[in-house]
Amino acid sequence: MASFFESLIQGTEFYRLIKANPNVTEISRSVLDELGNAIQIDNIQEGELSLLLNALVPIKPHEKAIAKESSRISFYTLLLELAQRIKRLPTEEDVFIASLKAISDLPDPLSVILDGFLLYRIRDSLAVLHEAALELVCSELNSRDAASHEHDVVGTLVAEMLDIGLQKIGLMAAGESAGELVWSEFVSRVDSHISGEASIRGLLRWDSIIDENQIVTATVARKENCVGLLPVAWYLCRKRAEDQDYEKYPHLELLSRNGGARIGLKHVVLPELQKWDDSDPLLQDVVGWLIKRSVDQHLRIAWSRMFTEMDRDVSVLLTDGNMWMFRKVFFGGRTDSRIRVAIGWLRQLGLVGKSGITDKGMDALQRGYHALATVGGEA
């Protein structure tokens, strides 16, 4: 790539100046204009395109990095395949929809990357909900003049917002209240809304609308929905990995990555769900615990950062025993899948556009399938 770049700029004044003095500190605008015309970012030269494409989707993956190579090739092949099918520029949501389908009509070589994005989406939904809950706690504290007991703050949020999220996804009818709803009845309601289940490589998928995509979309649209949706996401997390055969399906370990520090499946979610199964508490008590867990999670991260940088306090609230006090405004977000960055790469390389896959993209798609077949020993 460096040699190709050099060939593009050899005839420019910029190249002559740099070769004469590598430590040059000032260059005129006219010289930069000439350089810009030689290496236009929005008009990638064919030679550069070939080099970049071979880096993203190599004709022959490197033997010493098969795992990383195959994952990346599967990812870009998936994006190109989606662009071909939907006849438009693919989006992040298109990838998540494909990963959650109970029955996929996508080619088998893409199955591994689909599993990866489903596992990502499960963790992503938990992150979105807990950050939204923390935002609501901070907002409630900001509306108060003094420190407040955690039970008072949590009780207010649960009383005012529990029904909103449950009604949003159809687990409760309009006007119905979850005040006396117990955990076992809540679980039965969720299960009754899930149909068309299919276990694929240790992950349970279904066709119903209650899933992580709906949960994230509803929470991003309205943060108050998170109060009722938190227990839904936790229950779905366990349901997705019902088999839990980690020897047969090692990729399920991703749901437990970082253990208790990141609300892992094995270390946090499963033990708590088992407690609720055994004691059958009121749903409002479960949700109250989940909101407090959101605060605890934030404080753990803040304290861990202060351990290495004492002058860096990122906490958004102050705690003293069971008392909470507002410190700063917080806006909940979500994790970064980098799917949009990858789509941007494909668009910049001219492989996808507004109408979907391009002719160059079709060539890259076939290259991707050939490379995956090579990795799998089928070519």
Side-chain angles (χ1 to χ4, degrees):
M1 182 67 76
S3 297
F4 182 80
F5 178 78
E6 184 175 15
S7 70
L8 290 178
I9 66 171
Q10 273 184 338
T12 66
E13 182 66 12
F14 174 85
Y15 182 77
R16 189 190 66 76
L17 292 171
I18 291 295
K19 292 293 284 186
N21 178 17
N23 297 317
V24 64
T25 57
E26 293 185 8
I27 294 193
S28 68
R29 181 176 294 275
S30 62
V31 171
L32 292 177
D33 285 340
E34 182 191 25
L35 177 66
N37 290 327
I39 52 170
Q40 296 178 23
I41 294 177
D42 59 350
N43 184 24
I44 298 177
Q45 300 287 335
E46 196 63 38
E48 184 181 3
L49 174 63
S50 178
L51 290 168
L52 290 171
L53 181 57
N54 198 45
L56 293 178
V57 186
I59 296 175
K60 185 178 180 181
H62 298 287
E63 293 182 1
K64 293 184 179 180
I66 287 295
K68 291 183 178 180
E69 291 270 82
S70 59
S71 293
R72 186 184 66 254
I73 295 169
S74 295
F75 179 31
Y76 283 103
T77 303
L78 171 65
L79 293 176
L80 291 168
E81 180 67 40
L82 290 175
Q84 177 187 221
R85 292 179 176 223
I86 61 182
K87 308 299 182 186
R88 59 169 170 77
L89 199 67
T91 65
E92 185 182 54
E93 196 65 20
D94 292 322
V95 175
F96 292 137
I97 290 173
S99 70
L100 267 68
K101 280 187 176 180
I103 299 177
S104 175
D105 60 348
L106 290 169
D108 288 340
L110 305 181
S111 60
V112 174
I113 205 69
L114 289 174
D115 289 346
F117 277 113
L118 174 52
L119 292 168
Y120 167 83
R121 193 56 157 171
I122 295 168
R123 297 295 297 263
D124 182 40
S125 66
L126 293 177
V128 168
L129 287 165
H130 282 287
E131 288 211 0
L134 180 63
E135 179 177 334
L136 294 178
V137 168
C138 288
S139 179
E140 176 65 23
L141 289 173
N142 193 22
S143 68
R144 301 173 179 229
D145 295 329
S148 301
H149 196 284
E150 61 180 32
H151 293 318
D152 185 25
V153 176
V154 170
T156 298
L157 296 178
V158 173
E160 294 181 356
M161 303 174 190
L162 176 57
D163 298 340
I164 299 174
L166 296 174
Q167 291 173 1
K168 175 65 177 179
I169 62 173
L171 288 179
M172 289 182 57
E176 188 180 7
S177 174
E180 299 302 317
L181 190 67
V182 295
W183 173 252
S184 59
E185 185 180 346
F186 163 76
V187 168
S188 296
R189 289 195 182 204
V190 176
D191 285 339
S192 68
H193 281 71
I194 294 177
S195 60
E197 297 168 309
S199 183
I200 307 170
R201 294 174 298 278
L203 286 167
L204 196 67
R205 290 170 163 92
W206 51 79
D207 293 326
S208 310
I209 63 171
I210 292 184
D211 60 25
E212 290 77 6
N213 284 348
Q214 186 193 32
I215 287 172
V216 172
T217 299
T219 304
V220 170
R222 185 181 182 185
K223 292 293 170 33
E224 289 84 353
N225 284 324
C226 80
V227 177
L229 296 181
L230 266 168
V232 181
W234 272 56
Y235 178 67
L236 293 187
C237 184
R238 178 175 68 178
K239 195 171 185 66
R240 289 290 184 191
E242 276 188 340
D243 194 339
Q244 294 172 34
D245 187 340
Y246 297 100
E247 290 187 5
K248 186 176 181 181
Y249 306 113
H251 55 288
L252 295 181
E253 290 285 356
L254 290 173
L255 291 176
S256 303
R257 187 179 181 186
N258 298 128
R262 289 293 186 274
I263 312 183
L265 174 67
K266 289 192 293 185
H267 305 85
V268 180
V269 176
L270 291 181
E272 291 301 326
L273 289 176
Q274 188 59 56
K275 290 179 185 178
W276 301 334
D277 289 343
D278 295 339
S279 61
D280 201 21
L282 288 171
L283 181 64
Q284 61 184 8
D285 292 336
V286 169
V287 174
W289 183 91
L290 288 169
I291 294 175
K292 285 189 282 187
R293 186 65 171 79
S294 303
V295 173
D296 290 342
Q297 182 74 12
H298 165 70
L299 292 175
R300 289 183 189 190
I301 293 173
W303 292 333
S304 67
R305 290 182 179 176
M306 286 185 67
F307 182 77
T308 56
E309 298 180 66
M310 287 299 295
D311 59 345
R312 187 185 182 194
D313 185 357
V314 298
S315 61
V316 296
L317 71 162
L318 302 174
T319 63
D320 184 4
N322 294 323
M323 302 300 289
W324 291 348
M325 179 178 287
F326 174 79
R327 184 167 184 260
K328 63 176 70 171
V329 174
F330 175 77
F331 296 103
R334 48 163 304 202
T335 54
D336 185 6
S337 68
R338 300 188 66 80
I339 294 175
R340 283 172 287 184
V341 174
I343 294 171
W345 265 98
L346 294 181
R347 187 173 187 177
Q348 190 175 359
L349 293 174
L351 305 181
V352 296
K354 292 182 179 179
S355 300
I357 196 167
T358 65
D359 290 340
K360 290 181 180 178
M362 285 296 297
D363 292 339
L365 177 62
Q366 296 308 312
R367 173 193 280 214
Y369 279 127
H370 177 76
L372 292 174
T374 301
V375 171
E378 300 173 13

